[in-house]
Amino acid sequence: RIRVNMPATSEHGASKVNHRQTKVVAETTQHFITLMDSLKLNMVAVDELSPLLMELLISLRHVESLPQDDEAVLKVQKWREKLEP
C-alpha cells in the first residue's frame, strides 16, 4: 500500500463499512467460538449449552446481511428447540 500512497481499505472501498454490523459479526463469531469450545470441553448439560445457543441465535438474527432463513440460523434454532425443556 506504500506504492499507492493510501491504505488498502480506502483503495478497495472499505471506508463505507458499517461499524455497527462489523461489531455484530465479531460478537456472533465470539458466541460461536464460545459454544464450540464448550462442546470440545465436553460440556453437555442443557443448562450450560442452552444459554450459549440462545446468545448465538440472537447474534445471528442481528446480522443484517444474513437472511433469517439461512441454513446456519435454522440449524442453531433447531438445536435451541431440541434443548428446550
Side-chain angles (χ1 to χ4, degrees):
R1 303 300 36 132
I2 294 172
R3 282 184 251 141
V4 179
N5 201 24
M6 70 172 38
T9 53
S10 297
E11 181 183 6
H12 297 290
S15 61
K16 300 172 188 167
V17 170
N18 181 339
H19 294 289
R20 186 173 83 53
Q21 275 301 293
T22 301
K23 182 179 176 187
V24 168
V25 170
E27 288 173 353
T28 302
T29 303
Q30 175 186 345
H31 292 305
F32 179 76
I33 291 170
T34 301
L35 178 61
M36 293 303 298
D37 287 347
S38 298
L39 293 170
K40 288 178 184 177
L41 291 171
N42 293 321
M43 294 174 62
V44 294
V46 172
D47 62 333
E48 294 173 330
L49 295 178
S50 187
L52 299 176
L53 272 168
M54 193 63 199
E55 288 176 355
L56 177 57
L57 185 58
I58 290 168
S59 290
L60 283 168
R61 289 180 176 159
H62 284 108
V63 177
E64 292 175 358
S65 61
L66 193 63
Q68 293 306 304
D69 62 346
D70 184 80
E71 182 181 1
V73 176
L74 296 176
K75 282 188 178 189
V76 172
Q77 189 171 352
K78 181 180 173 183
W79 277 106
R80 174 72 176 110
E81 290 168 0
K82 282 185 178 188
L83 293 181
E84 284 182 357

